[in-house]
Amino acid sequence: MAILDILKLPDPRLKQVSIPVEHFDAALRDFVADLEETRQDGPAAVGIAAPQVGRFERIVIVDCSSRPKTPNHGNLVLVNPEIVHWEGYEMGREGCLSVPDYTGNVIRATQIRLRAQDPEGAVHEYEMEGYEARAVQHEIDHLDGMLFVDRVVSRRTDLYQRKTYAKKKKSKPAA
């Protein structure tokens, strides 16, 4: 497994639309493992999308389990995800590994129904709400070449300088 380089704004590749995954093989599962390791290396990252590391296929990972009071489905690898129904809307603050210096207020659906495949190609449906629904919508936007800064209500009043995160130190195994 490897930690992959994350593309950052203003890299024009972040605007590229991703293509559906057609081959569910060992190479896909190896990439998913690298993508998950990259997500875990990020500061407080609950999600990551393949385009953020320069692979323009419809693959995202979302894991809201670090927020125990938040309803969630745990660690999800979503291949070819599609929102098939949404309800309600709410403004909330978002950040992104590809936009490390800012957070912003974005309006998102409060409840969604999602259809996606897993890395083996099996189809699943999920009902999501609140924070998990917001995280999934954010990651799916990456697949369509959109960033949260494209959705902020006003760049003048709803975009904020992010606090600086200290890089996690990895402990060395005892000899």
Side-chain angles (χ1 to χ4, degrees):
M1 292 191 303
I3 295 173
L4 307 170
D5 291 333
I6 294 175
L7 303 180
K8 295 186 175 59
L9 194 66
D11 193 310
R13 293 174 290 174
L14 289 167
K15 296 296 187 181
Q16 186 171 327
V17 176
S18 295
I19 61 171
V21 172
E22 295 180 356
H23 302 288
F24 295 83
D25 54 14
L28 173 65
R29 289 184 287 282
D30 288 346
F31 170 72
V32 165
D34 290 344
L35 192 62
E36 174 63 6
E37 188 170 354
T38 304
R39 182 192 69 81
Q40 289 180 9
D41 188 60
V46 297
I48 193 167
Q52 290 180 272
V53 297
R55 183 159 169 167
F56 299 96
E57 290 185 290
R58 299 186 75 79
I59 305 164
V60 303
I61 298 175
V62 174
D63 185 354
C64 297
S65 63
S66 64
R67 302 181 78 155
K69 294 180 182 177
T70 300
N72 70 84
H73 293 85
N75 187 297
L76 293 174
V77 177
L78 305 171
V79 181
N80 300 326
E82 176 186 5
I83 296 171
V84 295
H85 180 78
W86 65 272
E87 289 183 29
Y89 64 90
E90 182 176 66
M91 179 144 12
R93 183 77 64 94
E94 296 184 16
C96 182
L97 294 171
S98 292
V99 187
D101 298 330
Y102 293 93
T103 61
N105 291 332
V106 178
I107 296 172
R108 300 274 187 196
T110 56
Q111 298 176 346
I112 62 171
R113 185 175 321 119
L114 179 76
R115 183 177 301 129
Q117 292 171 280
D118 63 25
E120 284 76 37
V123 176
H124 302 274
E125 284 203 6
Y126 303 93
E127 299 275 340
M128 298 177 172
E129 64 183 17
Y131 184 78
E132 184 179 44
R134 174 174 295 280
V136 166
Q137 291 170 80
H138 174 108
E139 298 308 330
I140 289 175
D141 270 358
H142 282 292
L143 305 180
D144 296 325
M146 292 193 68
L147 298 170
F148 82 88
V149 293
D150 299 320
R151 291 195 181 270
V152 292
V153 176
S154 165
R155 288 190 182 200
R156 186 175 56 80
T157 61
D158 290 310
L159 198 59
Y160 306 95
Q161 188 85 35
R162 182 191 284 262
K163 66 181 182 182
T164 306
Y165 288 99
K167 182 74 173 163
K168 289 189 243 177
K169 292 183 180 178
K170 298 206 178 197
S171 57
K172 294 183 182 179

